[in-house]
Amino acid sequence: MNDIIREIEAEQLKENAPEFRVGDTVKVYGKIKEGNRERIQVFEGIVLKIQNGGNRTTFTVRKFSNGIGVEKTWPLHSPNVEKVEVVRRGKVRRAKLFYLRDRVGKKAKVKERI
């Protein structure tokens, strides 16, 4: 039974999955459906966490919009995620950056990896 599920999930994986890590600033190009139209909307922010789970892998991106922190969780292998583009590489020492939720302004920055 588990082999059948693994085969089905392996078919759903994206071949060119993007390479990024926690702390990176990324642009996520997501498909938005409005009525019968479909468009692509860009969501740019810092990757707070990545949860691995085969084709159920998700990542959470946080950005500030009009002074309010907004977090969105994206499934990595979803057809609604057009592409993920890395803007900056971040230098962090943790797997989950939940401490950024309490910080505002310059304190909420992540150092850039060279």
Side-chain angles (χ1 to χ4, degrees), residues 1-17:
M1 186 66 167
N2 289 336
D3 295 333
I4 298 169
I5 294 172
R6 279 195 206 107
E7 289 177 19
I8 293 171
E9 288 180 351
E11 294 172 3
Q12 296 173 350
L13 294 177
K14 286 185 179 177
E15 291 84 24
N16 53 357

Side-chain angles (χ1 to χ4, degrees), residues 28-32 39-42 74 80-83:
V28 182
Y29 293 82
K31 292 182 183 176
I32 304 288
R39 65 183 179 89
I40 294 178
Q41 187 174 27
V42 180
W74 300 88
N80 290 331
V81 176
E82 186 72 25
K83 67 178 179 174

